[in-house]
Amino acid sequence: MSGAGPIAVGVTPAQQLESRPRLFAALEAALPVRFEGRPADALRDLDALLILGDAGGVPTTAPADLPTLALAVPEPDGPGESRHNVHADLELLDRRLRAASLPDERLEEALGLSTRDLDGEGAAVLASCDGAPTWTRNGASESALLIPVELGPREALRERLCNGRSAALLPLLHFLRVQTEAIRWQPPAPRASLLFDDPNLHWPSYGFVKLGELGRHAREHGYHVALATVPLDAWFAHPAALRALQESDGAISLLAHGNDHDGGELGRVATETDGVSLAAQARRRIEAFGRRTGVAVDRVMVPPHEACSQATLSGLRRCGFEAITMTRPFPWVEFEPHSWLARPDDAGPLVGWGSAEFVEGVPVLLRHPIAGRSRAELTLRAFLDQPLILYGHHEDALGGPEALLETVEEVNRIAPARWCSPSEIAAASFETRRDGSRLTVRLLTRKARIEVPAGVDELTLELPAAGLEADRETLSTAREEVDPGEPLTVEPGSSLEVTLSPVDAIDPAAVPAPRHRPLAVARRLASEGRDRLQPLAARIR
C-alpha cells in the first residue's frame, strides 16, 4: 500500500488507459486510486493491476501476490436483449451483491466474443449469465468479461451502474473498493425508510393509511414510516391521530410536503425572494403545529410532483431546512435518456454516486417508488452506500400494512438497515476516516449527530468536496464555532452534534407570507376529499 495516499493501479496495455481519460478520471475522483499506464514488462511498485484485453493471463513480470483484475472484451456500444448477470452467494463478494440478479443489455453480444477461459481450474465463479461465467476469482487474480467503454462527454459514472447496465463497471469498482478498503472514506451505515406523500392528521386514517394499525405493525416488524404532510393542512390534528403517532413509539414520523401542495409549486418559484417567502411560511406552519400538538414535523422537504427550482432550494437553505428527498438531484435540468441523472455542465461525473448529493447547499436524499420498484436499482444503491428511501401514496397501503411487509423484507435482504426517519437518515450522512486516536469526519449533511468511537480523542470536520460554498456557511458544535480541518478534543463514547448554518440565514418569522391563493386551498381540499373517499369507493366496487 502506497502509504495513506491513493494506491497505484497499473493499467496494461497503457493505450487502454489513454483511450478512456474520462472514465478513469471519474474513478480517481470517486476512490483513492491513481492509474498508471504500464507496459507488460514494467509492473513493479504497484498496489494493483488492471489487464484490459483478451491477450492472455497475468504477465510473468508481475509479482505473484499482486492483486490483479483482467477484463476480456470491450463492452458493446449499444444495448441488445436484456440478460441477467447472476451473482454468487459467496463471502468473496460484497454482501449486498450476494445472490443478486442484475439485468444487463450489453452482455448477450459479448458472451461469445471472449477467448479467455474465465472458469479456470480452482476459480470461484462470482457471477454468470445463462451458466457462462462472467466474473471469477482465483487467489489474488480476478477475471471478468467486459471492459467498460469511455464515458461520454455528458455521461455520469452512475449511468454505468444502473438497472440495465452494470456488468462492465461492477467488477472493476468492486475490485478497487476492496484494494482501497483501508484508506478510503468509510460510508454511513445502511439506513432505510418508507415514505408516504400527502397524509395529514385530520382523521385517524388517510385514504388506505390507518395510522394506529400502521404504527403497531411498523413497531412490531421493526420498520419506519415517514408521512410527508402538507404544511397547509397543519391547522388541525385529530386527537386519535395524535395518539396513534405517540403510541407508534417513534415508528412514524412527519416531514413537510411542499407548502400549499398546489401542483409542482416548488418548481414554479423563480426568484430567491419568493423562495424564501414560501420556505418561511412552510416552516412557520409546521413549527406552529409542533407547538400545539407536541408532535414535531422534521425539517426535511418533499417537493410535490418532484418539482423544485434553484430559487426554492436557496430559500429552504436560508430558512433552516436540513434536507430534501426526491427522485433526482437536479429537477430543473432536462436531459435524455437518463433524466433522473440530468445535471448542469459543471456538476461533474459523480452525480448520483454518493450517499447524499449537495445541491445549492442542500442535501438531496434520493428516493425510489414502492410500486414498480426495481430490485436491481435498490441493490446498486445499497452497494453505493446510499439510503433506501421507498416512497408511495396511500394506495400503496391498500390491503393494510401487510402489503408493505414484502417491501420491508426485500430491503432487509439486500442490506439489513437501520430503519429511521428521513431526518435521522440525513443526520447520519457523513463519512469517516480513522488514523489511530484521530477521526476525520466529512459531512454530507447540514446537521450531523456523531457518536465518537472508543479510542478516539481527537476529531476533525471536513465539508463536502462539492456542492457547497464554504464561505457562505458557519460550522459549529453545540459548544462553539469551529473551522473545517481544526482538531477538536472529544471524549470517547460521547455524542457530538454538528451544524452548518448559512451566513445569510433568515428568521422565518420575519418574512412576509406569500400572496394568499384561495384556489390553491380549494385544490388541496378537493385532493384530500378524493383520497379519503377512495376506501369507500373500493368497498362499493
Side-chain angles (χ1 to χ4, degrees), residues 195-199 206 226-229 257 261 302-306 367 391-394 531:
L195 172 61
F196 286 102
D197 289 353
D198 301 338
Y206 186 93
L227 305 179
T229 194
H257 191 32
H261 198 285
V302 180
H305 297 260
E306 301 296 323
R367 65 182 194 161
Y391 78 97
H393 295 81
H394 72 96
D531 292 343

Side-chain angles (χ1 to χ4, degrees), residues 272 279 311-322 358-362 446 468-469 472-473 500-506:
E272 186 163 340
T312 298
L313 281 174
S314 180
L316 294 172
R317 179 186 63 84
R318 295 183 65 190
C319 290
F321 279 86
E322 296 164 10
F358 252 96
V359 179
E360 301 293 325
V362 180
R446 298 199 65 85
L468 189 74
E469 296 183 38
R472 298 175 61 187
E473 306 288 346
L500 272 175
S501 303
V503 171
D504 56 352
I506 193 164

Side-chain angles (χ1 to χ4, degrees), residues 28 36 159 262 516:
E28 287 182 338
E36 300 179 5
E159 293 176 54
D262 182 17
H516 182 60

Side-chain angles (χ1 to χ4, degrees), residues 234 281-293 295 297 299 319 508:
Q281 185 178 60
R283 172 101 181 265
R284 289 194 300 269
R285 285 169 166 174
I286 62 177
E287 292 195 344
F289 176 86
R291 288 193 298 271
R292 289 196 312 271
T293 64
V295 175
V297 180
R299 294 185 202 171
C319 290

Side-chain angles (χ1 to χ4, degrees), residues 12 43 47-51 57-59 62-71 136-143 175 179:
T12 187
L43 303 179
D47 298 305
L49 175 64
L50 298 180
I51 304 171
V58 180
D65 59 350
L66 182 65
T68 302
L69 173 62
L71 304 178
T136 62
R137 180 171 178 177
N138 194 342
S141 297
E142 296 183 28
S143 296
F175 176 78
Q179 306 314 314

